[in-house]
Amino acid sequence: MYRKHIPVTTWEYVFSIDSTTYNAPATGGSTVVNITSYKKKLIDGIETGETETVNVSAEYSSGTDFTSLDRTQLPNKLTITYPENKTESSRTEIEVIEQQESGKKLYFTASQNAGVITYNYTFNLGYYSYDSQATANSIGIVVVSYKTKIINGTSTGENTTLSYSVNRSSGSDFVNLPGSSVSGDMTLNIPENTNTSSRTEVIRFT
């Protein structure tokens, strides 16, 4: 008995991406993932040369959800945008790219460096010179001493008070000084001058 051969049509799915990871600077940026997604027609296991594009989806999978995905050029391209990282920690997010008909999945790891932390230092005195009378007296000095946190070159407005030291630099040694680890405003106590000549002391604030 003659049996007519019925050709068997199958499809072979091709799916790949040109990169699987990108580490962005703390200041932010973007990267483009180029996607290859199509299927090849086979008849009786032999390629016919006919191909068809297969759609893909792209979604957040796991990790810190911080990037934004531009899907407008799918299934050919996926653009991933990284915002500025204003934290002191690096972060990582994994995206899943899925070929819809075959169910094949590929993963892209998006990571970003921690914010660059620097400090601006402020140190000012309310007085830089003072003429004391001969009798014992004291002077209150307003001292401004702090550092301001900077992330990626932009001030956060976060200030931290810093201690300072007060020591004799030169001249007569007659003012009572507190030494090191002083915080906030301070008072200098000036003893009576029992000599017939004036005196000068230079005090160093560090």
Side-chain angles (χ1 to χ4, degrees), residues 130 132-133 137 168 170-177 189-193 195 198-203:
Y130 179 72
S132 173
Q133 57 192 1
N137 64 99
R168 174 178 175 272
S170 62
S172 303
D173 185 5
F174 65 92
V175 180
N176 296 319
L177 302 177
N189 296 310
I190 304 172
E192 179 183 5
N193 186 359
N195 299 318
S198 63
R199 55 189 179 180
T200 299
E201 180 175 354
V202 178
I203 300 168

Side-chain angles (χ1 to χ4, degrees), residues 8-71:
V8 177
T9 300
T10 56
W11 294 90
E12 180 180 325
Y13 288 86
V14 178
F15 187 40
S16 65
I17 54 179
D18 68 342
S19 60
T20 58
T21 184
Y22 178 73
N23 184 54
T27 51
S30 64
T31 187
V32 175
V33 182
N34 293 297
I35 303 168
T36 300
S37 179
Y38 64 92
K39 59 184 179 180
K40 299 185 292 184
K41 187 176 183 180
L42 290 78
I43 296 180
D44 293 337
I46 299 173
E47 292 186 18
T48 64
E50 180 182 342
T51 62
E52 292 183 12
T53 299
V54 178
N55 287 330
V56 304
S57 62
E59 303 293 341
Y60 161 81
S61 177
S62 63
T64 305
D65 188 2
F66 68 93
T67 68
S68 60
L69 305 180
D70 181 356
R71 305 175 178 85

Side-chain angles (χ1 to χ4, degrees), residues 139-143 164 166 176-178 182-188 205:
I139 175 176
I141 300 178
V142 175
V143 180
Y164 56 93
V166 184
N176 296 319
L177 302 177
V182 182
S183 295
D185 299 339
M186 65 163 300
T187 299
L188 289 179
F205 288 72

Side-chain angles (χ1 to χ4, degrees), residues 114-141:
V116 179
I117 309 299
T118 58
Y119 292 92
N120 280 345
Y121 291 84
T122 300
F123 192 36
N124 295 312
L125 304 179
Y127 285 93
Y128 288 93
S129 65
Y130 179 72
D131 291 329
S132 173
Q133 57 192 1
T135 57
N137 64 99
S138 62
I139 175 176
I141 300 178

Side-chain angles (χ1 to χ4, degrees), residues 147-158:
K147 63 180 180 180
T148 303
K149 181 183 283 186
I150 309 296
I151 299 182
N152 301 332
T154 301
S155 173
T156 64
E158 179 183 334

